[in-house]
Amino acid sequence: MTASDQPSSPKRSKKEDNEDHNTAPEYRANSESPPPPPQRPEKYDPDAISHSVKSENISDEWKHQAPYKIQEEGSFSPKYEASCHCGKVQFQLSREKPLDAKYCHCLTCQRLHGAPFQWAAIFHKTDLNFTHGHHDLVWYDPGSKSTRHQLPCKISCSHCRTPLMDEGRNMILMYPTLIKWAEGKKGEEDRKKFDASCHMFYNRRVIDVKDGKPKWTGLNESSELIDE
């Protein structure tokens, strides 16, 4: 059959030709519009998955360890009650006098507390018992800037963001300003038990504190003393 013998086709407009040319072959036979281009698969990130798994494991572990483990009734004799500003987080202390108390003038404490220095009292983790809100906590590690629960870290209320304590590997450094002191002479006597023994990182101070206490350039007993 010659070209002249072939049946003639209906005449097509230029617009129809262009549309036919620009449409993928598999969609020319019907009026459905082509599907959107396939999305790029998410990049496999083993570190992210590992982080997620670790976070889940950590969130399960800390609940059963001091200082977060709820003490059994009758096994804990509270001496002090304390709370964050909004009251969502509340806890007790069983030790009448801290192991030690210190003023820290390091830049991290100044920035995170929004104050000239930090006042912290040292306790064993088992000296503390949360009575409310131990699920309303957030953590922060100033070294790695991580918000995961890893030691050492700083603990705050997740609602009002009140700094509550520093958690180390064996001890906690809680902030005596959170304690609900008794009224009158009893409260004054209790507060004296929390008097700081020294100043740390005093060379970073923003105000002078002439109180006669030892003042160290870094950690106490492992740095140089500064004269008042």
Side-chain angles (χ1 to χ4, degrees):
M1 181 182 293
T2 64
S4 60
D5 295 327
Q6 296 180 11
S8 60
S9 302
K11 189 174 182 180
R12 293 167 56 86
S13 67
K14 185 175 182 181
K15 179 180 180 182
E16 289 176 324
D17 288 338
N18 289 337
E19 288 176 349
D20 224 18
H21 175 75
N22 292 329
T23 306
E26 59 267 34
Y27 300 109
R28 290 176 186 170
N30 56 59
S31 59
E32 294 181 3
S33 59
Q39 296 182 352
R40 296 178 61 184
E42 293 184 4
K43 184 179 179 182
Y44 173 70
D45 188 351
D47 290 335
I49 295 176
S50 174
H51 172 79
S52 175
V53 173
K54 287 181 180 178
S55 296
E56 291 178 3
N57 292 337
I58 290 172
S59 64
D60 289 336
E61 291 175 1
W62 65 265
K63 301 174 186 177
H64 309 291
Q65 299 174 352
Y68 310 104
K69 180 181 179 180
I70 303 301
Q71 303 282 355
E72 295 181 6
E73 188 174 354
S75 65
F76 193 87
S77 300
K79 300 293 190 298
Y80 304 102
E81 303 280 345
S83 73
C84 64
H85 185 269
C86 71
K88 283 185 176 292
V89 179
Q90 300 176 27
F91 59 92
Q92 303 167 325
L93 295 168
S94 62
R95 186 177 293 273
E96 188 171 2
K97 182 178 180 180
L99 302 170
D100 199 0
K102 303 172 183 179
Y103 296 133
C104 182
H105 297 257
C106 76
L107 295 179
T108 297
C109 287
Q110 291 177 17
R111 289 172 180 171
L112 292 180
H113 288 263
F117 53 88
Q118 174 205 80
W119 176 26
I122 302 174
F123 287 87
H124 292 296
K125 292 186 179 184
T126 53
D127 293 332
L128 186 144
N129 182 42
F130 282 97
T131 58
H132 192 271
H134 73 296
H135 294 287
D136 295 312
L137 302 173
V138 290
W139 300 278
Y140 180 66
D141 173 15
S144 64
K145 294 181 172 57
S146 169
T147 55
R148 294 166 51 195
H149 181 261
Q150 58 188 36
L151 303 179
C153 64
K154 290 182 174 290
I155 307 171
S156 303
C157 169
S158 63
H159 184 71
C160 65
R161 302 295 171 173
T162 298
L164 301 172
M165 63 193 74
D166 293 1
E167 181 186 2
R169 292 172 177 80
N170 302 305
M171 305 286 182
I172 56 168
L173 285 75
M174 64 82 55
Y175 311 133
T177 49
L178 305 177
I179 295 176
K180 301 173 183 177
W181 303 106
E183 297 292 335
K185 186 176 181 180
K186 175 71 166 59
E188 293 177 6
E189 292 175 349
D190 287 341
R191 273 193 291 269
K192 288 181 181 179
K193 298 173 185 175
F194 286 74
D195 278 352
S197 63
C198 67
H199 294 260
M200 300 188 302
F201 298 95
Y202 192 68
N203 58 325
R204 300 297 185 96
R205 68 190 182 278
V206 295
I207 59 171
D208 292 331
V209 184
K210 297 183 178 181
D211 55 6
K213 300 181 187 295
K215 296 172 174 62
W216 302 88
T217 57
L219 296 174
N220 59 308
E221 307 297 340
S222 60
S223 59
E224 296 181 0
L225 283 168
I226 300 176
D227 294 332
E228 282 192 350

